[in-house]
Amino acid sequence: MLENPKVNIKIKLASLWTSATFCYLYGDYFELYTPDKVNSLISGDNIMDSPSMLLIASIILAIPSIMVALSIFLKPKINRILNIVFGAIFTIMMIFIGIMSTNEWYLFYVFLAFLESIITALIVWYAWKWPKEKSGL
C-alpha cells in the first residue's frame, strides 16, 4: 500500500489558488487566438482601454496570486475569512463570466470559467470546514 499522508489545510488552499491562477492565465492567453483579438489590442478598442481599467484588472488578478502565499503564511482565523470571502467573490465572478461568454469562439473560456468556479468553490468549502484544534486535556 502506498502512504497517503494527510495534507495540511493551508497547503490545500494554496494549491487550489495556484490552480485557479493558472486557469486564469491560460484563459487570457488563449483569448489572444480568437478572431480580431490582436487587432483590438493594437487599435486599443477593447475593455482595457484606459490606465484605470488596467489597474483594476491588475488588482483583481493579483488577489488569487497573493492568496497562494497568504494561505500558507496567515494565521488560521484571518486566513479562513479571506479564503471564504475571496473564494466566494471569484466563484460568483467566474460563473457570471462563463454565462456571458457564449460565443462559439469562447467555449474554451466557458469551460475554464466553470472549472475556475469549481476550484474557488472548493476553496470556500475547505476554508469553511477548517479543522478545529484538538484540546489536549
Side-chain angles (χ1 to χ4, degrees):
M1 293 292 278
L2 297 174
E3 184 181 355
N4 187 19
K6 186 175 180 182
V7 178
N8 182 289
I9 184 68
K10 290 182 169 191
I11 301 297
K12 287 179 185 179
L13 293 169
S15 298
L16 288 166
W17 280 115
T18 302
S19 296
T21 300
F22 276 121
C23 288
Y24 299 143
L25 291 170
Y26 284 128
D28 290 343
Y29 174 74
F30 292 153
E31 186 182 19
L32 295 173
Y33 292 92
T34 61
D36 294 323
K37 182 61 180 183
V38 173
N39 291 335
S40 72
L41 292 173
I42 293 169
S43 71
D45 184 26
N46 59 68
I47 194 168
M48 299 295 168
D49 60 356
S50 70
S52 59
M53 288 303 292
L54 286 170
L55 177 60
I56 291 167
S58 296
I59 292 167
I60 290 170
L61 288 176
I63 293 169
S65 299
I66 292 168
M67 285 305 297
V68 174
L70 292 181
S71 294
I72 299 291
F73 296 118
L74 288 178
K75 299 226 184 261
K77 191 171 185 175
I78 188 70
N79 199 337
R80 180 176 185 254
I81 292 168
L82 288 179
N83 274 284
I84 290 170
V85 169
F86 287 132
I89 290 169
F90 277 83
T91 300
I92 292 165
M93 186 171 62
M94 296 320 298
I95 288 171
F96 178 74
I97 288 171
I99 291 168
M100 300 306 292
S101 302
T102 56
N103 176 313
E104 179 183 23
W105 274 97
Y106 281 83
L107 291 178
F108 74 94
Y109 222 61
V110 172
F111 166 74
L112 287 171
F114 287 115
L115 179 59
E116 293 155 2
S117 63
I118 290 168
I119 293 168
T120 52
L122 284 170
I123 289 168
V124 173
W125 173 259
Y126 279 118
W128 188 267
K129 294 290 198 175
W130 194 292
K132 304 289 187 232
E133 228 178 39
K134 295 175 186 164
S135 59
L137 292 180

